[in-house]
Amino acid sequence: MEKNFCDPMWAWRREQRRRCSRMAWALVVYVLSSNCAQVVLSVPLMLLRLNEGEQQVGLWLVSAVSSYGVAFPLFALMLRDLPPPPLRRPPRTLDFGEMLEWGSLSFAVLYGSNLATLLVLKGIELLMGRPVSNPVEEMLDFPWICTFLMVCVLAPIFEELMFRKYLLRRLLPWGERFAVTATALCFALLHGNLSQMFYAFCVGLVLGKLAVYTGNIWQNIAIHSAVNLLGSGLLMETPWEPVGNLAAVVILGALILGIVVALTRRGWFRLEETGYVTDPQENPIPQREKWKFFLLNPGMAVYLLLVAGLVVYLL
């Protein structure tokens, strides 16, 4: 069947794919610019005569500047001509008890999905006959304060801005369920390695729901930071002995509370499905159609190929 370029339905579908493709291209630009900047900035670092400690700090600076000083501004610039719609509900501020519940739930999801990931990776290692590279372990080789700043300050701030503000807000008109799932998928893929993808997706679902529930990104940042702190074991690595001794109690308490919240607060996971974007004939868009727009476009094809290449490289 020939395409009718004057058909409003054809033009509308083309526009939806273009918008989804632009979001995916923004992620492609982020990944490529971050990696290219790391290569360029590492050259002068290798020419300097630094001791081991100075070298580690230098590598940390290269990583931080590449990801958040170079790649993030380019990502935001790519989405400049796709303004987000206004929020449909006023922002909501969680009280301390709610913050504790959401944080514990996020940590329990992280813990459980990470256990599942470890089992899968163990099977892959048995098949390959060698260990699978884990970038998280390399990050923990940085000095303690550098690791803390990266894992608990910079990463939560910029990842929440990227995924729960820039991307989620732009996808919400398609329906909360679709927006949260699609954003969590992009968040997982950005990590580019099998060690983090599954738990990043699962935690991304919780953080996406939280962002929809509150409309306040700073609460997502605070919870994301706390979950990263517990999940990375930084409490156990702290140079302050009394804090380190309480680490196991804090982690166990957060895990138990998170399981209780997951069993008793199942209503938290309800999300609207339909959204308020309709086709020119005023028909709601089916879920299958939404995923076609989101996944079947040039930007997403390149993003998926790029991520696949990173995963294979890190194996």
Side-chain angles (χ1 to χ4, degrees):
M1 178 183 290
E2 294 185 2
K3 293 178 180 177
N4 183 358
F5 298 102
C6 296
D7 182 2
M9 282 296 297
W10 179 86
W12 180 81
R13 290 171 184 272
R14 183 173 178 269
E15 175 62 18
Q16 306 318 307
R17 283 196 170 87
R18 186 194 70 82
R19 291 178 62 86
C20 291
S21 186
R22 174 58 69 90
M23 291 184 232
W25 279 118
L27 292 169
V28 170
V29 167
Y30 180 91
V31 174
L32 290 178
S33 59
S34 176
N35 283 277
C36 290
Q38 286 193 46
V39 172
V40 172
L41 294 176
S42 295
V43 173
L45 187 65
M46 291 186 293
L47 298 177
L48 297 174
R49 295 181 178 179
L50 304 175
N51 59 41
E52 184 177 352
E54 293 170 337
Q55 187 79 10
Q56 288 296 319
V57 173
L59 290 173
W60 177 84
L61 283 172
V62 166
S63 178
V65 171
S66 300
S67 297
Y68 308 125
V70 176
F72 177 78
L74 292 176
F75 168 85
L77 187 63
M78 286 287 294
L79 298 179
R80 183 179 56 179
D81 62 345
L82 292 179
L87 292 174
R88 301 182 70 187
R89 293 187 292 267
R92 171 191 175 96
T93 300
L94 302 179
D95 59 32
F96 177 77
E98 290 175 312
M99 289 283 286
L100 193 61
E101 287 182 322
W102 278 100
S104 299
L105 174 64
S106 301
F107 177 67
V109 169
L110 169 69
Y111 192 90
S113 52
N114 188 47
L115 284 179
T117 298
L118 292 175
L119 291 175
V120 172
L121 290 179
K122 183 59 66 175
I124 294 175
E125 290 177 350
L126 291 174
L127 291 174
M128 296 176 58
R130 60 179 178 82
V132 175
S133 174
N134 188 348
V136 177
E137 295 178 356
E138 298 174 7
M139 187 185 301
L140 295 177
D141 290 336
F142 291 134
W144 188 88
I145 188 62
C146 292
T147 303
F148 175 81
L149 289 174
M150 179 67 79
V151 172
C152 300
V153 180
L154 295 177
I157 290 174
F158 287 99
E159 288 177 358
E160 290 305 311
L161 288 174
M162 284 179 64
F163 294 98
R164 259 64 71 175
K165 184 175 181 180
Y166 279 91
L167 291 185
L168 181 65
R169 284 278 304 277
R170 285 164 172 81
L171 291 172
L172 273 178
W174 297 72
E176 294 174 353
R177 184 182 302 178
F178 172 79
V180 168
T181 306
T183 305
L185 176 62
C186 291
F187 178 56
L189 293 173
L190 188 77
H191 288 77
N193 64 87
L194 296 180
S195 301
Q196 294 177 281
M197 277 187 179
F198 182 58
Y199 70 70
F201 174 74
C202 295
V203 175
L205 292 175
V206 178
L207 292 175
K209 169 58 182 172
L210 175 62
V212 170
Y213 179 66
T214 65
N216 253 331
I217 199 66
W218 72 264
Q219 294 169 111
N220 272 65
I221 292 172
I223 288 175
H224 193 153
S225 177
V227 169
N228 280 5
L229 178 65
L230 294 173
S232 63
L234 282 176
L235 283 174
M236 296 182 180
E237 299 295 333
T238 178
W240 297 289
E241 183 85 19
V243 177
N245 291 337
L246 291 174
V249 176
V250 172
I251 290 173
L252 181 61
L255 181 60
I256 293 173
L257 179 58
I259 294 172
V260 172
V261 171
L263 294 175
T264 59
R265 302 285 193 180
R266 284 176 291 182
W268 281 1
F269 298 100
R270 293 185 186 136
L271 293 165
E272 293 181 8
E273 183 176 352
T274 55
Y276 50 93
V277 172
T278 58
D279 65 28
Q281 298 176 351
E282 299 298 325
N283 296 318
I285 307 173
Q287 287 291 332
R288 182 183 300 178
E289 196 77 7
K290 296 175 186 177
W291 285 107
K292 283 183 179 179
F293 291 138
F294 188 72
L295 296 175
L296 302 181
N297 59 71
M300 185 57 70
V302 174
Y303 183 52
L304 292 175
L305 287 173
L306 183 60
V307 171
L310 290 173
V311 170
V312 172
Y313 174 75
L314 290 173
L315 283 177

